[in-house]
Amino acid sequence: FISEVMDHCLDCAPYPNVVLAFCGALSLQAVLAGRRVRDPGDNRTNLYLLGLAHSSAGKDFPRKLNKQVLREVGMAECVGETFASGEGIQDSLFMTESMVFQTDEIDTLLQSINKSRDARHEQIMSTLRTMYSSANSVYPMRRKAGKEAAGVINQPNLVIFGTAIPNHYYAALSE
């Protein structure tokens, strides 16, 4: 399946890029198999992928293709562009237990996390780690003041396909 999606992407993309086609196809497979497939060690298809390429190198088409395929199979609600907080990721997965976030210029998100003193940015990294390790169990939602029981996310499947320009990405990293 991954090879066929890659071939289609490379045939149709205005700027074909084998590595980005692979990342796109792999992230598509991961969200389609989410909560359905596991290996003998109970590992799941939660993947965090990063595609680095310069401008006009073909970063956009694999994301567009994934959105088109997921829309065609009735899973359009499983696609997100970006996220602004860990709570936003949790809320998205509570409504749709298998999600793929396809974030262009993910370096800007990393810069926001590194430079901000805002707790919502710090919560993003914690949520990403927790969702990855909770893929084979349940994730209890945060309790909101004055609300009924928060509920749980059963076997959350979070796939991230981020892209960036290499020098911007490396500049956004901190120790």
Side-chain angles (χ1 to χ4, degrees):
F1 177 78
I2 292 171
S3 178
E4 290 175 7
V5 172
M6 283 180 64
D7 290 344
H8 179 70
C9 183
L10 294 170
D11 289 343
C12 298
Y15 303 101
N17 184 309
V18 174
V19 173
L20 293 171
F22 174 72
C23 288
L26 191 59
S27 63
L28 177 62
Q29 177 65 67
V31 75
L32 289 171
R35 305 181 70 242
R36 295 177 181 90
V37 175
R38 62 183 177 175
D39 71 7
D42 206 22
N43 296 304
R44 308 301 172 104
T45 64
N46 294 26
L47 295 177
Y48 300 166
L49 299 164
L50 175 64
L52 297 177
H54 293 286
S55 296
S56 300
K59 295 186 297 281
D60 193 41
F61 194 80
R63 291 191 308 267
K64 287 181 179 178
L65 181 60
N66 286 354
K67 285 190 268 190
Q68 178 186 359
V69 170
L70 290 169
R71 184 176 38 84
E72 291 291 328
V73 299
M75 293 177 64
E77 73 281 356
C78 295
V79 181
E81 292 291 323
T82 190
F83 40 86
S85 67
E87 292 84 359
I89 296 169
Q90 293 173 26
D91 291 344
S92 294
L93 286 167
F94 184 70
M95 293 185 296
T96 307
E97 292 171 327
S98 187
M99 292 279 309
V100 58
F101 284 95
Q102 301 186 124
T103 305
D104 190 23
E105 298 176 3
I106 200 163
D107 54 286
T108 57
L109 175 65
L110 293 174
Q111 285 177 342
S112 296
I113 292 169
N114 288 336
K115 293 179 181 177
S116 178
R117 302 274 186 242
D118 191 348
R120 72 183 175 100
H121 286 111
E122 292 175 15
Q123 187 64 25
I124 291 174
M125 296 307 287
S126 174
T127 298
L128 293 178
R129 285 189 301 269
T130 305
M131 289 300 168
Y132 187 82
S133 62
S134 298
N136 62 356
S137 62
V138 295
Y139 177 85
M141 290 289 292
R142 70 194 180 285
R143 237 183 149 88
K144 298 178 187 176
K147 301 285 183 178
E148 304 238 347
V152 297
I153 303 169
N154 183 28
Q155 300 173 27
N157 179 242
L158 177 61
V159 178
I160 298 173
F161 175 28
T163 56
I165 295 172
N167 55 334
H168 294 170
Y169 173 75
Y170 292 120
L173 297 179
S174 69
E175 288 182 22

